[in-house]
Amino acid sequence: MSLSVTMPQMGESVVEGTVERWRVAEGDRVEKDQVLCEVTTDKVDAEIPAPVDGIVSKILVPPGTTVRVGAEIAMIEAGAGAGATKSGGSAEAKPAAAAAKSAPAKSAKPAEQAKPAPTKAGAKPAAEPVGKAAPAKPAAEQSKPAAEQVGVEKSGDGRPLRASPLARRIAEERGLPLDEVAGSGIAGRVTKADVLGHTAEARPEPVAAATAGAPVVMASPGTLGEFLASMRVPQYAPREGDRVIPFTPIRRRIAEHMVVSKIVSPHVGTLSEADLLELVRRRDAIKGEFKRVHGYNLTYLPFLLQATVRGLQEFPRMNSAVVGQSIVERDGIHIGVAVETYRGLVVPVVRDADRLSVTGLAQAIEDLASRARERTLGPDDLQGGTFTVTNPGRHGNLYGFAVINQPQVGILRMGEVKKRAVVVERDGEDAIAIHPMMYLALSYDHRIIDGATGNSFLYAVTQHLQAADFEI
Amino acid sequence: MSSFDLVIVGSGPGGYVAAVRASQLGMRVAIVEEDRLGGVCLNWGCIPTKAILKAAEQFDAVRKGEVPGLKVSGIEADYGSVIDASRKAADRLNRGVGVLMKKGQIEVVQGRGTLTGNGGVSVKTPEGERQLQGAKILLATGSTELILPGVEVDGVRVLTSREALESRVMPRSLVVVGGGAVGLEFAYSYAAYGSEVTVIEMADQILPGFDSDVAQALASSFSKRKIKIRTKTAYRAVERSGDGVTVTVEGEKGEEQLRAEQILFGVGRRALVEGIGLAEAGVNVERNFIKVGKDYKTSAENVYAIGDCIGAPLLAHKASEEGVAAVEFMAGARKHPLDYGKIPACIYCQPQVASVGLSEAQARAAGHDVRVGKAPFVASGKAVGTGHTEGFVKLVTDAKHGEILGCQIIGADATELIAEATLAMSLEATVHEIAETSHAHPTLAEMVKEAALAAQGRPLNF
C-alpha cells in the first residue's frame, strides 16, 4: 500500500511551504511519526512526520523547493519491511498526519470555504515548484508534468547545472535553492548577483498570490489585478559595499502578507488614551504572588486581552471576516498575539480567549511565546485567529498603527505605559495628577467597519481596561 | 542609395568585430572607414607598439648580456628597421581585416561617414558622395590622441604616440608626459635603446588606478633601467629650443625645467564625436562621449554606439566585446549586459603589467573583507629557469567565499597570465577552484595557483 505525504496546511494564509531538508532518504525504513523532513512556511517551521510505518519509496521534492499546500512531497510504501509487523493496518486510516488534522478545521470555517482551491496544486499530479522564475522558461517546458520539471536542469547531486561556483557557495550558505533563481549570466548562468538579487525581486506572480489569499477584493480581477500587475516598483541595485541580506522564507512571507493586507483592506487608524491607574494598582497587588506561583511575570498584556475580548463581545463586527460580498461575524474569539522572534514576526493564537481568566490568558501567552522562541509552534497554533493584539515593546513606543492580520478586520496595538500629568476630577474640582497612561491604537478595515463602530469598540476596550474589573 | 541591415561607422577593433558578428547573424552589413581597416589599434596603437616593444626587449637583453651563451660585441641599434617591422605587422593585419570583411560579405566603404538622420549615412568616398541606408547604424568612431591646449605637435620634437610610431630616429633623451600605459610603453622602448627617459605623472603613482603594489614594483624596475620617474609632477609648458625642448614641470618643490631632445605626450585620448552628424541625427553626447544605454542604444532611434567613442575604459578588447554585444542586442540574441568589472587592462613594457577587477585598495574601499594571495615569480621554477624572476601574481579576494575580486600581475608574460584570472572572474570561480585546478609544471601560470593557495594561507612553494 503506497501512501503519499503532502505539504500540510500550516496557517490560514499559507498557500505554500518550503522543504528545507530531508531527514530520510529514498529506501529508508521509517516508523510512524518519525520526522521525514523539515518544512518552513509563512510563519512556522515544522517537521513532517511519517504517517505510517514503512519504507520511503520516493522523495518527490528536492530540498529547498517550495510547493503548494496539498502537493505530494514523498511516497511511503506502508507496512513494507520490518514495519509491517508493527502496525500494518493503521496506514490507510491516517494519511499525512498534519494535512489530515487541518482539513476538518478548514472546512468548518466559512471564511476559508470561500477561498478558491489552490487549483494549480490540485490539478497536477505531483509537487509543482512555485516561485520559480517561470518567465525565464519556454512555455513548452512549463507544460511538462510537474514531476519532470523538478528534474529539469539538475545535475546528479540535485543542483542546477548552470550556476557559478561563487553563486553556489553563497546560495548554499544562505539555504537558497538555486533552482528558484533565474540566471542572468553567460547563457543563462546563475551568478552571484542573481543570488543576491533573487529575494529582493518581486516574484513572478505576487498579484496572483494576493488574489488567491483574498478572493473577495479581487471581485473583478481583470481590472484591479491588471492595475496592480502594471505597477512598477522602484528597485535599488546593490552596490559594492552594501550589505545584502536575502529574505528568509519567513521574511518573504511577512513582506507579502503586509503588502497584500494594505492592498486588500483600507486601513483606518484611531487612537485612544487609557488611564491605567486602577489596573496598575490591581496588578501591583498581585504580581509578586503571581510570579512566585507561576514563575513568570504578569504583564499588562493578558489584561488588555481580556478587555479586548469584552470589546469584541460587545462589537462582534470587529470579530469578523469579509467573505465574498458578505460580512461573516465569526463564532468564537481567538486572539492572535504578535510575537517577535529572532527569525521574524509570528502571530500565535490564544484560542477561545473569551473562556479564559487573566491567569489563563497569561498562561496561554507565556506558553505560545516561549514555544515561538523555541520554534516548536505547530500549525494549529498559528491559524484561526479572529483578531490580533500587538505589543511591540516598552520603549520608544508611544503609539503606532499596525497592519491588519488578514483575513481579520482589526488589530490593536499597545503603546508604552508611561506616567503622565493628567487632569482628573476630584470632589468636583479639576486637578492635575500623575497617572500611568497608555495609548491604544486600533487599525480597522473600513470595508466593513465604519468610524462609529471602530471608535465605539476602542472606547469600550479602553473603558474595560480603565475599570480594571477583571476576572483574575 | 544602397540599403543594409547594418551600417557601421569605423572599422577599428570595435567596428570590424561587430561587422563580423553581424554577418554571422545574417545581417547585410556595410562598414565605413575613412583611413585604414583596423583603426587605431591595428594601425597606430596596440599592434605596432607590440612589435617595437618586443624588439626593445630583445635588444635590451642582448645589450645587457642577459642571454646565456651569447657574446656580442659592437652592438648597434637600428631603430629605423624596428619601425619598419612594426609597419609590416600593421600592414599584414590590415590586410587580414580586409580578408575577414570579404569572407563575411561585408561591404567596405572607404571615406568619412556622416549621419544624415533616419538611418542614412553619407560617405565622402574618393569617387564622390555615396548614400547608405541602414535599418540600424552602429557608431564605432573611436578616439584620437588628446593634445593639451597650447601644445603644438610637430612630429620632430613634440610627439604623441601617433608620431612616435613613425619616427625612425631614437632621441638621446626624452620626456614622457603621462605615466599611464602609453607613456610607460614608450618610456620602456626608448630607454631600452639607450635614450635617457624621464616620465612625468601628476598622480602620486605611475599607473594611476592600478594596484599600488604593482605600480611600486614597476617604478622600482624602471628606476633600475635608469628611467626617471617623477610623480606628483604636473606638466606646465614646452618650448622648442635649439636641438631639443625645454619642458617646464611643477612638482612638490615648485617649478623646474627639463631639457630633452623630444617630448612625448601620452595624456589620454579624445573620443571622435565631432563632424559626423551626431547632433543632426539626434545622438546625445555627454562629456565628449556618446551616451548609450546598457544595450548600446543612443538617444537616436536605431543608432547604436560602441568602443572608445562611448567612454572608458578605452581599450581595444572592450570595444570588441561591446561590438559583439551591441549587434547581439540588435538581433535579440542577447540578454545579459557586458560586465565591465571583468575587463582586463595590460601594459606591455618589461616587466609586463596586467590587471583585472579591483585593486586591493578598491576592494577595501568597497567594504570587502579582503584577503590577498601574493605569489612572487622568484618562487616559480619556470621563472628562475628562464631568468624572469621579477614580479608577482596578486589575487585580491573576499575572505568570506573566496570570491576573486581582482588580480594584479607584474612580470614576464603577465599579459598572457591574466586570462586565467579573467576567466575565473567571468565564471565566478573562487580561489578554491583555482587552487584545485592542475597547472602544468613548470609554467609561470603556476603562480596564479600559488596566489590562490596563498589566499587560503597554504602556499606550497614559498
Side-chain angles (χ1 to χ4, degrees):
Chain A
M1 178 76 204
S2 195
L3 281 177
S4 62
V5 180
T6 58
M7 179 61 70
Q9 178 83 36
M10 287 185 281
E12 282 179 273
S13 55
V14 177
V15 292
E16 61 192 43
T18 303
V19 175
E20 289 296 327
R21 66 182 62 77
W22 284 98
R23 299 256 197 96
V24 296
E26 283 182 9
D28 279 5
R29 180 165 297 135
V30 293
E31 284 177 21
K32 183 170 175 293
D33 293 335
Q34 180 181 336
V35 174
L36 296 176
C37 64
E38 295 165 28
V39 167
T40 53
T41 68
D42 197 327
K43 290 160 181 173
V44 69
D45 297 333
E47 293 170 339
I48 308 251
V52 293
D53 290 355
I55 285 174
V56 180
S57 56
K58 199 98 192 113
I59 286 177
L60 298 166
V61 174
T65 310
T66 303
V67 298
R68 298 253 164 197
V69 165
E72 290 180 351
I73 57 174
M75 300 297 291
I76 291 188
E77 199 61 38
T85 51
K86 282 186 183 168
S87 61
S90 71
E92 289 164 63
K94 201 183 168 198
K101 241 188 255 172
S102 67
K106 193 179 161 188
S107 56
K109 288 178 195 150
E112 274 156 4
Q113 267 179 343
K115 271 190 199 171
T119 49
K120 270 186 173 173
K124 297 209 172 166
E128 183 201 24
V130 292
K132 210 167 181 171
K137 301 208 166 194
E141 205 175 303
Q142 280 186 2
S143 63
K144 279 181 192 170
E148 196 182 325
Q149 208 179 77
V150 170
V152 147
E153 289 190 349
K154 295 283 173 68
S155 60
D157 58 359
R159 297 188 299 183
L161 284 171
R162 287 188 171 279
S164 78
L166 181 60
R168 284 177 199 279
R169 269 174 206 283
I170 298 172
E172 202 170 294
E173 173 197 85
R174 302 184 176 194
L176 177 69
L178 273 174
D179 62 347
E180 282 190 6
V181 183
S184 72
I186 300 162
R189 219 157 169 263
V190 174
T191 65
K192 173 189 171 190
D194 297 332
V195 172
L196 295 184
H198 172 66
T199 42
E201 280 168 25
R203 295 191 307 144
E205 299 174 309
V207 176
T211 313
V216 183
V217 209
M218 307 297 171
S220 48
T223 49
L224 182 53
E226 276 166 23
F227 172 67
L228 291 174
S230 73
M231 285 186 163
R232 292 270 169 271
V233 183
Q235 295 279 315
Y236 174 73
R239 291 179 209 155
E240 289 293 333
D242 290 350
R243 226 160 59 82
V244 178
I245 300 124
F247 277 7
T248 55
I250 195 167
R251 188 77 252 159
R252 197 188 85 195
R253 278 147 193 152
I254 290 171
E256 185 178 294
H257 186 91
M258 294 304 169
V259 172
V260 166
S261 183
K262 277 286 191 174
I263 293 169
V264 166
S265 298
H267 285 56
V268 177
T270 185
L271 186 69
S272 79
E273 190 182 25
D275 184 336
L276 300 189
L277 188 67
E278 281 308 312
L279 174 58
V280 168
R281 277 185 192 150
R282 190 87 204 269
R283 173 174 166 268
D284 284 350
I286 57 172
K287 69 178 183 189
E289 173 72 4
F290 187 96
K291 175 84 192 268
R292 206 174 53 72
V293 173
H294 300 282
Y296 55 87
N297 290 325
L298 178 63
T299 66
Y300 293 108
L301 188 58
F303 295 101
L304 178 62
L305 248 55
Q306 193 162 86
T308 303
V309 164
R310 290 176 186 172
L312 291 171
Q313 285 167 330
E314 288 157 35
F315 298 90
R317 185 57 51 88
M318 293 300 309
N319 198 55
S320 57
V322 177
V323 179
Q325 303 287 325
S326 307
I327 298 161
V328 177
E329 291 182 353
R330 299 172 68 170
D331 184 26
I333 294 176
H334 313 296
I335 300 192
V337 180
V339 178
E340 184 71 31
T341 68
Y342 73 98
R343 297 180 69 243
L345 186 71
V346 295
V347 189
V349 177
V350 176
R351 226 150 278 284
D352 296 314
D354 50 337
R355 294 182 205 163
L356 297 174
S357 64
V358 167
T359 307
L361 290 166
Q363 180 62 55
I365 294 164
E366 173 64 20
D367 173 53
L368 291 171
S370 65
R371 287 199 291 127
R373 281 188 291 269
E374 290 160 16
R375 298 173 64 180
T376 55
L377 284 176
D380 292 343
D381 296 322
L382 294 166
Q383 51 192 5
T386 60
F387 188 87
T388 296
V389 171
T390 174
N391 175 18
R394 247 179 285 171
H395 301 294
N397 170 36
L398 192 62
Y399 68 85
F401 293 96
V403 176
I404 295 169
N405 186 11
Q406 298 294 328
Q408 300 162 18
V409 295
I411 184 165
L412 189 60
R413 191 176 186 275
M414 287 173 77
E416 61 189 307
V417 179
K418 205 165 189 170
K419 283 183 185 164
R420 273 196 284 276
V422 293
V423 177
V424 297
E425 208 175 292
R426 244 175 236 158
D427 309 324
E429 295 276 318
D430 281 348
I432 291 175
I434 297 167
H435 284 201
M437 305 294 290
M438 178 175 75
Y439 287 115
L440 278 174
L442 172 72
S443 307
Y444 60 86
D445 186 340
H446 206 341
R447 281 180 302 169
I448 62 161
I449 296 157
D450 298 329
T453 311
N455 287 345
S456 302
F457 165 74
L458 183 60
Y459 181 74
V461 173
T462 308
Q463 289 302 310
H464 289 304
L465 205 56
Q466 293 190 153
D469 180 18
F470 293 108
E471 292 163 39
I472 302 296
Chain B
M1 163 146 18
S2 332
S3 289
F4 297 89
D5 296 324
L6 175 63
V7 176
I8 300 174
V9 182
S11 74
Y16 94 74
V17 167
V20 172
R21 184 68 186 121
S23 161
Q24 287 170 349
L25 290 168
M27 298 187 200
R28 226 171 87 72
V29 186
I31 190 162
V32 180
E33 174 56 58
E34 86 176 310
D35 191 358
R36 288 158 58 89
L37 284 176
V40 169
C41 157
L42 199 153
N43 295 291
W44 303 111
C46 323
I47 301 306
T49 55
K50 293 317 90 76
I52 294 170
L53 283 157
K54 184 68 192 173
E57 183 191 332
Q58 288 170 329
F59 182 81
D60 195 39
V62 172
R63 186 170 61 97
K64 287 184 182 158
E66 285 173 359
V67 184
L70 181 66
K71 199 172 174 186
V72 191
S73 55
I75 186 166
E76 197 182 330
D78 177 10
Y79 188 67
S81 64
V82 173
I83 294 293
D84 294 342
S86 79
R87 297 322 310 156
K88 262 187 208 153
D91 288 346
R92 187 169 161 193
L93 283 167
N94 167 261
R95 285 194 301 276
V97 175
V99 171
L100 288 175
M101 296 302 101
K102 275 208 186 74
K103 189 178 154 209
Q105 294 179 304
I106 295 151
E107 185 163 346
V108 177
V109 183
Q110 192 70 42
R112 186 178 180 82
T114 309
L115 301 189
T116 57
N118 296 321
V121 177
S122 162
V123 188
K124 284 197 185 100
T125 72
E127 295 82 37
E129 192 119 334
R130 208 180 137 188
Q131 302 300 326
L132 308 178
Q133 186 67 29
K136 300 257 193 304
I137 293 174
L138 179 65
L139 299 169
T141 53
S143 66
T144 188
E145 292 76 22
L146 181 69
I147 295 169
L148 298 176
V151 173
E152 207 180 300
V153 175
D154 60 11
V156 182
R157 299 283 169 228
V158 183
L159 305 87
T160 69
S161 59
R162 175 67 179 78
E163 292 74 36
L165 285 170
E166 286 186 290
S167 173
R168 301 166 59 91
V169 185
M170 176 57 55
R172 278 191 296 273
S173 56
L174 173 75
V175 169
V176 174
V177 181
V182 171
L184 295 180
E185 288 184 6
F186 279 104
Y188 171 80
S189 302
Y190 279 51
Y193 285 103
S195 191
E196 268 179 44
V197 180
T198 306
V199 178
I200 307 300
E201 169 57 51
M202 253 169 38
D204 58 358
Q205 67 171 39
I206 55 168
L207 296 175
F210 276 66
D211 197 284
S212 58
D213 273 6
V214 166
Q216 273 168 27
L218 187 64
S220 96
S221 177
F222 269 29
S223 296
K224 283 181 206 148
R225 290 167 204 272
K226 308 271 190 291
I227 299 169
K228 292 190 194 99
I229 290 176
R230 298 198 177 201
T231 53
K232 295 185 196 165
T233 301
Y235 160 84
R236 290 290 176 233
V238 61
E239 228 173 274
R240 284 173 194 77
S241 51
D243 54 355
V245 289
T246 302
V247 185
T248 308
V249 299
E250 188 179 343
E252 286 177 300
K253 291 172 202 154
E255 279 198 5
E256 136 181 44
Q257 254 106 42
L258 306 175
R259 286 282 304 162
E261 260 184 41
Q262 283 185 351
I263 182 168
L264 188 150
F265 285 92
V267 291
R269 301 188 66 79
R270 175 174 63 82
L272 289 167
V273 293
E274 278 148 23
I276 50 171
L278 294 187
E280 293 80 354
V283 175
N284 286 348
V285 173
E286 228 177 61
R287 295 179 189 191
N288 271 329
F289 291 111
I290 297 172
K291 202 184 168 205
V292 294
K294 278 185 175 169
D295 50 4
Y296 306 105
K297 281 183 182 158
T298 68
S299 52
E301 201 174 352
N302 293 323
V303 180
Y304 294 67
I306 54 142
D308 285 2
C309 68
I310 66 167
L314 273 57
L315 296 168
H317 46 281
K318 171 244 177 194
S320 298
E321 300 299 344
E322 288 176 340
V324 168
V327 166
E328 289 176 350
F329 277 125
M330 287 176 203
R334 184 186 183 107
K335 287 195 182 71
H336 64 279
L338 203 60
D339 187 345
Y340 285 88
K342 291 162 189 173
I343 294 177
C346 296
I347 297 140
Y348 296 80
C349 53
Q350 288 299 333
Q352 292 186 350
V353 172
S355 163
V356 63
L358 302 182
S359 69
E360 184 180 346
Q362 286 166 341
R364 289 196 195 283
H368 286 283
D369 180 5
V370 173
R371 187 171 293 168
V372 169
K374 200 167 162 183
F377 282 115
V378 72
S380 154
K382 176 74 177 291
V384 172
T386 57
H388 293 294
T389 53
E390 196 173 11
F392 55 82
V393 176
K394 177 176 177 180
L395 279 176
V396 178
T397 74
D398 188 296
K400 196 165 183 204
H401 301 107
E403 177 178 8
I404 298 163
L405 304 169
C407 179
Q408 323 292 333
I409 308 178
I410 179 166
D413 290 343
T415 57
E416 305 291 334
L417 298 175
I418 199 69
E420 178 180 357
T422 307
L423 179 66
M425 286 180 68
S426 176
L427 297 179
E428 289 188 343
T430 67
V431 287
H432 310 288
E433 282 78 39
I434 293 186
E436 283 184 25
T437 299
S438 178
H439 287 62
H441 179 75
T443 56
L444 296 176
E446 286 175 285
M447 287 301 106
V448 178
K449 174 174 175 155
E450 284 288 335
L453 288 166
Q456 296 179 323
R458 52 179 185 118
L460 293 168
N461 285 292
F462 62 95

